[in-house]
Amino acid sequence: MEDWKNIRAWPREEMMKRVARFRTLKGSDGGLPDSKLPECRRKLYAVIGFQPPMSEGAAVTSPVGQDASAMPAISIAEGFNLGYCKAKPGKGPLMHNHDTNETFIPMTGRWRCEWNEGDALQYVDLDPYDVISFPTGVARRFMNVTYDEPNREHLLMFIIGGNRPQAEFTPAAMQRCEAYAQGRAPRKTSPAPAQPPRSRARGAKDGPARSAPRRTQAHRAGR
């Protein structure tokens, strides 16, 4: 197929359907298994794509949740999806996996991206315009760690492959959601440091990130 080589004139009216103004985006703070958890409070914005996937159970959902996926600013299906997350320090989703690639780009603030669970846990801190790209089959999560601005929300961009991507929360994450629903609070643990040492947060230059401090299972599953 080489239809793309046939240059065509595109009406302005049609192109404006592919324009999203940030100030008018409609976000959602619900629609995911962990949405009600205090440590997971955030608002998700579906900008491009995000058709709701076919559900396979409580742990499987759209990456932006059922609410946001129903109202993307630009409703197209061209092989990728783009959205934003806005959250205060200490907030972010629980560990989850995707069936396609997921790439994070902080727009403001500092964001910690973790992957793996248990003793294999790793993390790296990203500044604005840094990039991390997660392959399929790897549990991951992210969290705003701009602790020197405790009352300010910061913004993270995410790009996810596919036309109808799915997210699945890990068993430990679902256990945390169930415990919260039943009124059982997790053990108290110390938050991530406000300004982690650069060598530790990023890992060696051009090398893998160093592992985060070991934490309890309850903390890993429910921050």
Side-chain angles (χ1 to χ4, degrees), residues 59-71:
V60 179
T61 182
S62 165
V64 294
Q66 303 301 335
D67 298 342
S69 66
M71 52 180 183

Side-chain angles (χ1 to χ4, degrees), residues 185-200:
R187 300 180 204 170
K188 291 185 178 180
T189 54
S190 299
Q195 295 180 333
R198 304 299 289 180
S199 61
R200 179 176 173 181

Side-chain angles (χ1 to χ4, degrees), residues 64-153:
V64 294
Q66 303 301 335
D67 298 342
S69 66
M71 52 180 183
I74 301 175
S75 183
I76 60 174
E78 293 184 332
F80 76 100
N81 307 264
L82 184 148
Y84 294 115
C85 174
K86 184 184 288 185
K88 289 185 177 181
K91 310 298 183 183
L94 298 182
M95 278 286 185
H96 60 280
N97 178 31
H98 285 287
D99 63 344
T100 58
N101 175 277
E102 181 177 39
T103 295
F104 296 131
I105 307 173
M107 306 306 292
T108 64
R110 183 181 301 109
W111 292 79
R112 175 161 296 180
C113 296
E114 296 183 347
W115 65 97
N116 302 335
E117 286 186 304
D119 293 337
L121 182 70
Q122 297 278 330
Y123 78 89
V124 65
D125 287 351
L126 303 181
D127 293 320
Y129 314 125
D130 291 343
V131 177
I132 186 170
S133 181
F134 282 105
T136 60
V138 176
R140 84 294 303 269
R141 71 181 300 269
F142 56 85
M143 178 174 61
N144 179 357
V145 291
T146 320
Y147 287 108
D148 53 345
E149 297 179 301
N151 297 315
R152 182 181 175 187
E153 292 180 312

